[in-house]
Amino acid sequence: MAFMTRAAILAAAIGVGFSWPALAQDNAAKAKAEIQRVRDSAGFKAAVQHIDQGYDGYIAEGIGLVEIPAPPFKEEARAKAFAELLRGAGLADVGIDEEGNVLGLRRGTGGGDRVVVVSAHLDTVFPEGTDVKVRREGTKLMAPGVGDDTFSLAAMLAYIRAMDAAGIKHKANILFVGTVGEEGLGDLRGVRHLFTKGKYKDRIDAFFSIEAGSADTFTSSGVGSKRYRITYKGPGGHSFGAFGLVNPAYAMAEAITLLARTQVPADPKVTYNVGVVKGGTSVNSIPVETSMEVDMRSGDADGLARVEQRLLAVVDQAAATENAARSTREGAITVEKTVIGDRPAGAIAETELLFQLAKASIEAAGYEFKGAREASNDSNIPWSLGIPAVTLGKNGPGQGGRSHSLDEWMDIEKAPMLKGMATSLATILATAGME
């Protein structure tokens, strides 16, 4: 289905009968009116009240999920627990798909099989064996993964229960999803499967990812990334007896040096990083193999392609330099270039309905909207496919920090957190066509 058709369906879902070209001219006003209608409704107010009254339960549920380890590629235990919680919350068609995503459906009144997706990721960046016990100091919770992104799973459960308690109905079906593989080498495998192979792959009209961060802004563009594992191999040998033979470590060092001297633009921003270096067996042995893992990022596809071309050129150049500098009598240096990550760039335009709904919700809540952000997250996939998507925060400003570190924290002071959760809920309900 073409993007324009998706946009038209989304517009129809909230009951604002107009064509997409007209929407590009006046959608800000229409989005503002729709958000205000939602916020003024008795159902929305009752839903927020339900979250308020059940806030301690929300916190306890979030802590319980944080303390179920979900390291990269090993999210199964948390996925099973989250699936049971979705069933307990009354969703239909709850299950775990082939990739490990957890899905549950809240049916709309409009009929049909189209869906609006609300998602959060199950995985964390932390390896197996990491202590994920939550520590509490006053209103501050500290644990690996507490903010990114485990409490977003609990927030979705709070939304579902609040909508049920308030008797809220919406025209569009809402598909709640806990995705796998959002972090690191997971390479967005969960959301990629959802959009390209899953049972709902051709039925998604809009997509929300709920992430760590403040609800006074949202992410509207995805930084693309390309990641390589570069492996140099050679004959190896004794550091004294075989001295003079080619050395994979020298080739890799040359490649790193050449890459480090590469100038890249600041606008649009392009970055590169050598993050992992491995190799060798002992201090007195010429390595047989060394490797490095390289991350390159940009929101500009052309800029990302250029730095990728530079990397591939310098790694070959470094191998040639080492083969020319030392003896290849026992074999030459070879280089292998393996793609280990490929996240597409993309964005939603400011003129689009979903962008304006998210912005209007922030302003209606009393926040000052200072502009949308760019990042790399699950929304990269729908953006790259031309499907309307934004990544929402759920916290109050300044209520989290130290993401991806062992001392990651989240402040759960009730009033700012409740305001943040209500802001994102209003955006979701407006998009789904709250009745």
Side-chain angles (χ1 to χ4, degrees), residues 22-106:
L23 175 63
Q25 299 173 14
D26 62 1
N27 60 352
K30 292 182 181 294
K32 182 178 180 180
E34 181 61 18
I35 288 292
Q36 198 59 54
R37 184 187 71 82
V38 169
R39 290 184 64 90
D40 288 343
S41 69
F44 178 78
K45 292 176 181 178
V48 174
Q49 184 180 26
H50 185 271
I51 297 172
D52 186 355
Q53 293 172 343
Y55 190 74
D56 290 344
Y58 158 65
I59 298 301
E61 196 160 64
I63 290 172
L65 287 167
V66 171
E67 293 181 345
I68 302 172
F73 297 96
K74 295 185 178 181
E75 305 98 334
E76 295 90 345
R78 183 176 287 178
K80 290 178 181 177
F82 185 58
E84 286 304 309
L85 289 168
L86 288 183
R87 290 189 184 95
L91 292 192
D93 298 331
V94 174
I96 300 176
D97 69 16
E98 303 89 336
E99 195 64 42
N101 299 313
V102 180
L103 303 93
L105 190 67
R106 192 174 198 270

Side-chain angles (χ1 to χ4, degrees), residues 288-364:
V288 172
E289 179 177 310
T290 61
S291 68
M292 62 179 179
E293 294 179 3
V294 184
D295 172 89
M296 298 163 288
R297 298 189 181 214
S298 182
D300 176 58
D302 291 338
L304 182 59
R306 285 193 294 272
V307 74
E308 179 186 6
Q309 291 165 6
R310 171 65 176 168
L311 171 71
L312 298 178
V314 301
V315 299
D316 286 338
Q317 180 181 339
T321 298
E322 179 62 13
N323 285 330
R326 270 163 279 278
S327 172
T328 59
R329 69 177 183 271
E330 297 295 337
I333 294 293
T334 60
V335 58
E336 297 176 358
K337 294 159 279 191
T338 305
V339 176
I340 58 174
D342 188 358
R343 296 186 178 208
I348 181 171
E350 292 186 20
T351 54
E352 293 182 16
L353 174 59
L354 196 63
F355 184 104
Q356 290 298 330
L357 286 170
K359 178 176 180 288
S361 186
I362 288 169
E363 293 174 337

Side-chain angles (χ1 to χ4, degrees), residues 62-402:
I63 290 172
L65 287 167
V66 171
E67 293 181 345
I68 302 172
F73 297 96
K74 295 185 178 181
E75 305 98 334
E76 295 90 345
R78 183 176 287 178
K80 290 178 181 177
F82 185 58
E84 286 304 309
L85 289 168
L86 288 183
R87 290 189 184 95
L91 292 192
D93 298 331
V94 174
I96 300 176
D97 69 16
E98 303 89 336
E99 195 64 42
N101 299 313
V102 180
L103 303 93
L105 190 67
R106 192 174 198 270
R107 291 195 173 93
T109 61
D113 61 359
R114 313 296 301 178
V115 299
V116 170
V117 173
V118 179
S119 73
H121 63 86
L122 293 157
D123 60 321
T124 70
V125 298
F126 303 97
E128 192 171 17
T130 300
D131 183 2
V132 293
K133 182 71 175 177
V134 176
R135 295 179 293 116
R136 185 166 184 167
E137 295 180 3
T139 60
K140 184 178 286 188
L141 303 180
M142 290 159 286
V146 65
D148 188 13
D149 186 31
T150 315
F151 256 80
S152 296
L153 300 169
M156 289 199 298
L157 290 162
Y159 289 161
I160 295 163
R161 296 187 184 111
M163 285 189 281
D164 285 349
I168 288 176
K169 296 181 180 180
H170 40 80
K171 296 175 184 176
N173 299 311
I174 302 178
L175 180 68
F176 290 90
V177 183
T179 63
V180 296
E182 192 272 348
E183 299 284 11
L185 296 182
D187 202 32
L188 308 182
R189 63 188 176 90
V191 71
R192 200 184 299 268
H193 179 88
L194 180 71
F195 278 93
T196 62
K197 297 180 181 179
K199 64 185 287 188
Y200 294 95
K201 68 182 181 71
D202 296 318
R203 297 157 55 184
I204 301 171
D205 291 327
F207 179 88
F208 293 103
S209 178
I210 303 176
E211 274 277 7
S214 172
D216 65 350
T217 186
F218 56 91
T219 303
S220 65
S221 60
V223 176
S225 67
K226 200 70 177 282
R227 294 167 175 169
Y228 278 87
R229 180 177 295 115
I230 305 297
T231 305
Y232 287 98
K233 295 182 179 180
H238 193 280
S239 63
F240 187 80
F243 182 74
L245 294 183
V246 288
N247 188 323
Y250 298 161
M252 188 168 75
E254 174 75 4
I256 292 172
T257 300
L258 291 170
L259 181 64
R261 292 174 179 164
T262 301
Q263 299 297 310
V264 291
D267 186 19
K269 186 175 182 179
V270 178
T271 67
Y272 56 82
N273 180 62
V274 178
V276 177
V277 175
K278 297 179 180 179
T281 55
S282 69
V283 69
N284 60 335
S285 299
I286 299 171
V288 172
E289 179 177 310
T290 61
S291 68
M292 62 179 179
E293 294 179 3
V294 184
D295 172 89
M296 298 163 288
R297 298 189 181 214
S298 182
D300 176 58
D302 291 338
L304 182 59
R306 285 193 294 272
V307 74
E308 179 186 6
Q309 291 165 6
R310 171 65 176 168
L311 171 71
L312 298 178
V314 301
V315 299
D316 286 338
Q317 180 181 339
T321 298
E322 179 62 13
N323 285 330
R326 270 163 279 278
S327 172
T328 59
R329 69 177 183 271
E330 297 295 337
I333 294 293
T334 60
V335 58
E336 297 176 358
K337 294 159 279 191
T338 305
V339 176
I340 58 174
D342 188 358
R343 296 186 178 208
I348 181 171
E350 292 186 20
T351 54
E352 293 182 16
L353 174 59
L354 196 63
F355 184 104
Q356 290 298 330
L357 286 170
K359 178 176 180 288
S361 186
I362 288 169
E363 293 174 337
Y367 296 117
E368 179 185 359
F369 180 65
K370 297 180 180 179
R373 301 174 296 196
E374 65 174 0
S376 177
N377 56 55
D378 273 344
S379 292
N380 281 45
I381 296 299
W383 283 325
S384 72
L385 297 172
I387 297 172
V390 294
T391 297
L392 302 173
K394 64 185 181 305
N395 304 348
Q399 282 195 285
R402 298 288 295 153

